[in-house]
Amino acid sequence: MFKVAVVGDKDSILAFKALGVDVFPVYDHEEARRTVDTIARNNYGIIFVTEQIASLIPDTIERYNKEIIPAVILIPSNQGTLNIGMSRINNNVEKAVGSNIL
């Protein structure tokens, strides 16, 4: 059985702990990269990453886009959205359907 994790700044991800999701606060790009790689190797099926952290580690995020497991999903932080997550969804829908239906 796979687990679910959230990576981001402490203020943005702490509420996920109440839902039973494992939270991993990070503070810089090296720590974020190491944390995502470690989580991916440790039986996590879904990794939510805040957009602000994802913008610091685009190469790591892109590497996991090519993998089936874990699914790396970008979410907005408490500071708002950078529209990176929605852009990825639009691109994936366009690939699957052949045109942008969103």
Side-chain angles (χ1 to χ4, degrees), residues 2-4 7 10 15 19-21 24-25 32 51-52 67 69 74 78 81 87 98-99:
F2 291 106
K3 299 180 276 185
V4 178
V7 178
K10 185 178 179 181
L19 300 173
V21 175
F24 296 90
E51 290 178 332
Q52 281 75 7
E67 302 293 327
I69 296 174
L74 304 185
N78 65 345
T81 185
S87 173
S99 65

Side-chain angles (χ1 to χ4, degrees), residues 16-72:
F16 285 92
K17 196 168 195 152
L19 300 173
V21 175
D22 295 339
V23 297
F24 296 90
V26 294
Y27 302 100
D28 62 38
H29 71 281
E30 274 306 313
E31 184 180 17
R33 182 174 287 116
R34 265 184 278 126
T35 301
V36 170
D37 287 338
T38 301
I39 292 169
R41 288 190 302 269
N42 287 310
N43 208 29
Y44 283 85
I46 300 173
I47 304 172
F48 292 102
V49 180
T50 61
E51 290 178 332
Q52 281 75 7
I53 294 298
S55 70
L56 299 175
I57 56 169
D59 53 328
T60 303
I61 300 299
E62 189 59 37
R63 186 173 24 155
Y64 290 110
N65 280 345
K66 297 176 179 133
E67 302 293 327
I68 295 172
I69 296 174
V72 176

